[in-house]
Amino acid sequence: MNSDPLERLRTAAAAREAAGLRRALRPRTPDHDGLLDLASNDYLGLSRDPRLAEAAARAAREWGTGSTGSRLVTGSTTLHAELERRLASFMDAPRALVLSSGYLANLAAVATLGAGGLVVSDEGNHASIIDACRLSRGRVVITPHKDVDAVEKALADRTESHAIVVTDAVFSVDGDLAPLAGLHAAAARHGALLVVDEAHSLGVTGEDGRGAVHAAGLAGAPDVVRTVTLSKSLGSQGGAVLGAPEVVEALVDTGRAFIFDTGLAPASVAAALAALDMVSDHPDLPGRARANARALAGAVRDRGLATAEPAAAVVPVVLGPPEAALAAAAVLADHGVRAGCFRPPSVPAGRSCLRLTARANLSSDDLAVIGRALTAVAEMKVSV
């Protein structure tokens, strides 16, 4: 028996180093170290908007810096209630429930609604959904990416009394759109709930940025549950679950990720409310984000690099091995652009990539800088 309990960790770290899978925290400056930001999820460019900052500061002065407790004790304020009302109204949902992160929103929704039943999950779903499936203690069936027939079969073969189907609306790395109409039809035929994570679609897809479920005509369906994050298009922090009153009541009564979670800080609540005002007052923002995403994808393709047609603001640049993605990210940084670098386990082996995220406030000059940086990547011939 080894007497050093840390030796296995050092050995595992060395193996990750050899495979190009080590990660590091790299604190940035407020201006992203002078680099053009294509790595964040600030799709509408609102996180630095002075109106959001002032709303947050005003709330902190009035309410204090924290919510002071869980939502069921002292952590629910009138600000939280207003945000829940506004989110439900904006997304045409019966009710909304705010949590302190989008990750916890998925844990609460999937683990609670899928508890002891069948959970059918797309293989491309976000890690928060994967973890939520595990916490559900239900039987989990992982289906091939966007395969409605496989979902139908899993539901038809079930012996459990209840089931949920869970999917990202827009997948977080490849940026493609789930077949929501087909998934809903399959779920409805078998009496299952459809749970859709709108993290990367809220504020970007659908009419006025109301999300992919709204665009699919499913916003009013009582058997559809949505989760959202407030930290992407809305430029704040936190998450929410939207659905029928029965869903919200179940989460309040039994959802451990909600019950034992400290309430979202009032400053973040106020910033999200201000962001909803901005989206309402500037309905062109979602379209501008999507147009810039298409421009980025076109620039990638024009340089012979592999990408996909974006459904929202996410534009992948698929490079293959981890070393290629790391090298390409470094080249972009050398040319003034910060991009996300995704390697296993965030993506499957052989699919390491850069992830470019469009913003509504990218200018033509910004796009020119990005084009020159992508040319440098292409000239490296970084590929599988």
Side-chain angles (χ1 to χ4, degrees):
M1 180 181 296
N2 192 329
S3 62
D4 183 356
L6 299 181
E7 182 177 349
R8 69 179 182 87
L9 302 181
R10 289 191 290 269
T11 300
R16 292 195 300 273
E17 181 78 42
L21 299 179
R22 286 300 300 273
R23 288 159 166 78
L25 298 174
R26 295 181 174 85
R28 63 173 176 84
T29 61
D31 68 345
H32 281 274
D33 307 309
L35 301 178
L36 176 60
D37 171 31
L38 287 189
S40 76
N41 297 311
D42 188 19
Y43 299 141
L44 302 184
L46 296 181
S47 69
R48 300 302 299 272
D49 190 282
R51 286 157 289 196
L52 272 68
E54 177 53 34
R58 189 166 55 247
R61 288 191 293 267
E62 181 176 0
W63 291 96
T65 54
S67 66
T68 76
S70 69
R71 291 290 309 276
L72 289 170
V73 184
T74 58
S76 287
T77 70
T78 53
L79 278 178
H80 290 79
E82 176 64 9
L83 178 56
E84 287 166 348
R85 185 192 68 78
R86 289 282 304 281
L87 280 170
S89 175
F90 181 70
M91 299 184 73
D92 286 342
R95 294 273 297 276
L97 186 68
V98 168
L99 295 91
S100 66
S101 73
Y103 193 104
L104 285 178
N106 275 338
L107 292 192
V110 176
T112 303
L113 300 174
L118 172 67
V119 181
V120 184
S121 178
D122 188 288
E123 68 177 354
N125 280 339
H126 187 262
S128 59
I129 295 176
I130 295 169
D131 290 350
C133 290
R134 294 167 178 164
L135 286 174
S136 74
R137 298 188 179 182
R139 182 169 66 92
V140 179
V141 174
I142 308 299
T143 53
H145 188 45
K146 298 178 21 173
D147 189 334
V148 175
D149 289 339
V151 171
E152 180 95 43
K153 184 178 186 307
L155 292 171
D157 291 345
R158 91 171 193 259
T159 57
E160 295 82 1
S161 63
H162 60 280
I164 66 171
V165 176
V166 59
T167 184
D168 283 340
V170 171
F171 290 88
S172 60
V173 178
D174 289 336
D176 51 336
L177 182 67
L180 295 179
L183 291 173
H184 178 252
R189 280 191 291 271
H190 297 278
L193 288 172
L194 175 63
V195 180
V196 182
D197 181 357
E198 295 252 37
H200 296 276
S201 51
L202 173 63
V204 183
T205 64
E207 180 186 0
D208 299 331
R210 297 174 192 268
V213 168
H214 191 279
L218 301 174
D223 55 354
V224 175
V225 178
R226 284 169 280 177
T227 62
V228 298
T229 178
L230 312 177
S231 63
K232 294 180 171 58
S233 289
L234 299 187
S236 181
Q237 190 78 21
V241 181
L242 299 98
E246 297 92 332
V247 168
V248 171
E249 289 161 8
L251 296 182
V252 171
D253 287 343
T254 67
R256 293 173 65 85
F258 173 79
I259 294 171
F260 299 103
D261 175 33
T262 297
L264 184 62
S268 295
V269 178
L273 282 165
L276 286 173
D277 288 337
M278 290 287 294
V279 174
S280 297
D281 293 343
H282 301 278
D284 60 315
L285 287 174
R288 284 162 53 189
R290 294 194 303 271
N292 283 334
R294 291 192 296 271
L296 289 179
V300 173
R301 282 193 301 270
D302 288 348
R303 287 154 179 82
L305 298 168
T307 189
E309 189 63 26
V314 174
V315 180
V317 183
V318 181
L319 296 162
E323 297 83 359
L326 286 169
V331 167
L332 284 184
D334 287 343
H335 287 77
V337 177
R338 168 169 279 144
C341 180
F342 283 65
R343 296 163 289 156
S346 301
V347 293
R351 293 278 297 174
S352 291
C353 66
L354 300 178
R355 190 184 74 166
L356 313 181
T357 53
R359 288 184 283 109
N361 58 349
L362 289 176
S363 67
S364 57
D365 288 343
D366 292 335
L367 293 173
V369 170
I370 295 162
R372 289 192 290 272
L374 288 171
T375 296
V377 170
E379 288 174 350
M380 282 185 60
K381 302 191 184 332
V382 178
S383 60
V384 180

